[in-house]
Amino acid sequence: MSPTLRRILIPLALVGAVVGLELGFETLVPDAAWRQLALFAMVNVVVALSLNVINGMAGQFSIGHAGFVGIGAYTAAIVAGHLHQALGGGDVSFANSFIVMPLALLAAGSIAALFGFVVGLPSLRLKGDYLAIVTLGFAEIFRLVIATAQTGGQVEGPVAKFLAYLGGQNGYAGPDKTGVPQYAGPFWIFGVVVIAVLIAWRLKFSGWGRALRALREDEIATASVGVDPTRYKVTSFVIAATGAGIAGGLLASMRDGNPTVQPDQFTFAYSFDAITMVILGGSGSVSGAIVGGVFVTFTVKMIEQLQGLESVQSLMAVHPGLDLNALRMVVYASVLIGLMILRPEGLFGERELFRRRPVQRAPGGAEPLPVRTEAEVDAAKEGSAVPAGKASK
């Protein structure tokens, strides 16, 4: 198959696959709970891929990624809710999603990118634990400002009115309080995952990605060869925040999901889950971020299924204080300790499931130039041939 034909057929096959998922996902996965889990796992894959740019490629330790996801979720929910009303309301249709979702995701990514720039720029003087504290503080401030906003009674001032409009602890449920329209079906979520994977892959193996990984290994040495650390670090923050905002936009409008965006969805636990996804799969690995996102998401479901077993129910009746939800943290800690001992670089390290194909010369392409002596080079410049015997002397 020619490269041109391959470039045409692969995108068509991917578009056909996501359209097929949109039309047949309910048949493929009849249980709504499992559909919700599968879509949530894909959203988490986008979250892990975006965090991998900061934590994996750039080597900056950010633990406030949930804040960017939350900003994207609230932004997309507001945009989608108002667009849905402008389109006449009613039932959510696949045709209207082509109007609502692009604008909602664009707004979510843009606002999150702006906050990523605001957080990333002053944080350049910080490294390691200090940078982690700043990012955690940003995420907690964002969450607590919304959660503690006054929603009842008379509210004065545009900022206070806007915070009250977001619903406080009860969350944002659309402009008419009936829920955020759920336009993000399998087509949009799987489609965004495909695009995110392609962008992450291209970033990693581009010159920009190599410079970013060089900064991670030795910032001083990399800067000495002309790489600007400030520009690369701020750009990595903006790219990661954009990806997180888009993931938040998908989460807010996810079909079969929660129609209300609540601040408690974006606690430190969610940031910790995202870090676990990246570290578990391997910092800097695109394949690792995908596997980590799916593994962490389905681990939660497995623990919920365990709680439904009769033996576990009997054990919980005897010991009311037994909290299996806390078991998730035990599982994460055990997995991470095991990885630190057996594979400190994560499941994949920086490796990928699929190797990047080496660049091949086209048949009949330019042959390598033969090695010539200085006499032959001088003779070629003068336009006269040099006898082989003389040149070899």
Side-chain angles (χ1 to χ4, degrees):
M1 182 184 298
S2 66
T4 305
L5 184 60
R6 188 186 303 116
R7 291 192 187 98
I8 296 173
L9 290 181
I10 290 178
L12 289 177
L14 292 174
V15 172
V18 294
V19 171
L21 284 172
E22 176 69 30
L23 299 177
F25 197 59
E26 293 187 5
T27 305
L28 191 65
V29 186
D31 191 336
W34 284 104
R35 285 200 304 272
Q36 179 189 5
L37 186 67
L39 296 179
F40 185 48
M42 294 300 103
V43 172
N44 280 341
V45 166
V46 180
V47 173
L49 287 171
S50 61
L51 183 62
N52 192 41
V53 176
I54 296 180
N55 285 19
M57 296 184 190
Q60 306 295 308
F61 192 49
S62 171
I63 57 175
H65 213 53
F68 298 120
V69 180
I71 290 171
Y74 274 96
T75 305
I78 294 172
V79 173
H82 285 86
L83 283 176
H84 181 67
Q85 282 193 340
L87 292 172
D91 295 334
V92 172
S93 66
F94 184 51
N96 285 345
S97 71
F98 286 91
I99 301 174
V100 176
M101 287 310 299
L103 295 176
L105 295 181
L106 179 63
S110 301
I111 299 298
L114 178 62
F115 277 90
F117 179 78
V118 171
V119 174
L121 193 59
S123 302
L124 293 176
R125 292 177 176 272
L126 306 175
K127 293 181 180 179
D129 298 341
Y130 300 103
L131 177 61
I133 292 171
V134 170
T135 54
L136 175 62
F138 158 74
E140 286 299 296
I141 289 171
F142 159 76
R143 183 180 67 83
L144 291 175
V145 164
I146 296 177
T148 59
Q150 181 182 354
T151 56
Q154 190 69 22
V155 180
E156 296 182 356
V159 176
K161 288 182 179 178
F162 177 71
L163 293 176
Y165 175 72
L166 296 181
Q169 189 66 39
N170 295 326
Y172 180 76
D176 53 359
K177 312 296 183 187
T178 58
V180 179
Q182 298 177 330
Y183 280 100
F187 174 83
W188 289 102
I189 293 180
F190 282 95
V192 169
V193 168
V194 170
I195 294 172
V197 169
L198 292 176
I199 292 176
W201 184 275
R202 297 290 295 179
L203 278 178
K204 178 177 178 179
F205 293 106
S206 67
W208 187 88
R210 292 189 181 93
L212 202 61
R213 284 182 284 161
L215 280 172
R216 179 192 62 190
E217 298 299 330
D218 194 327
E219 182 174 333
I220 297 176
T222 309
S224 67
V225 296
V227 176
D228 184 0
T230 302
R231 184 166 66 88
Y232 278 83
K233 287 183 180 179
V234 172
T235 308
S236 67
F237 255 96
V238 172
I239 292 174
T242 304
I246 292 173
L250 294 174
L251 185 64
S253 302
M254 188 176 72
R255 192 177 299 168
D256 298 321
N258 185 2
T260 305
V261 181
Q262 298 172 335
D264 286 346
Q265 293 177 271
F266 313 106
T267 60
F268 172 68
Y270 192 53
S271 293
F272 184 79
D273 287 348
I275 296 169
T276 307
M277 296 170 199
V278 175
I279 295 177
L280 180 68
S283 296
S285 171
V286 177
S287 306
I290 298 171
V291 173
V294 174
F295 174 82
V296 170
T297 308
F298 277 87
T299 301
V300 178
K301 185 64 179 178
M302 288 172 59
I303 293 174
E304 290 179 1
Q305 293 292 327
L306 283 175
Q307 294 185 74
L309 296 177
E310 292 184 4
S311 56
V312 176
Q313 292 285 342
S314 302
L315 186 62
M316 292 178 68
V318 176
H319 303 283
L322 181 63
D323 183 11
L324 284 187
N325 289 323
L327 181 64
R328 182 182 59 160
M329 307 307 290
V330 177
V331 172
Y332 289 170
S334 303
V335 170
L336 290 177
I337 291 173
L339 279 175
M340 282 188 289
I341 296 173
L342 302 174
R343 294 188 66 83
E345 73 276 14
L347 287 176
F348 290 90
E350 283 208 54
R351 295 180 291 277
E352 304 292 347
L353 278 176
F354 302 98
R355 292 185 178 180
R356 191 165 181 258
R357 301 183 63 180
V359 178
Q360 297 180 350
R361 295 182 182 277
E367 295 293 336
L369 292 175
V371 177
R372 296 188 297 179
T373 63
E374 293 182 0
E376 289 174 329
V377 173
D378 294 338
K381 289 180 180 178
E382 296 173 358
S384 59
V386 179
K390 183 180 178 180
S392 61
K393 292 182 181 178

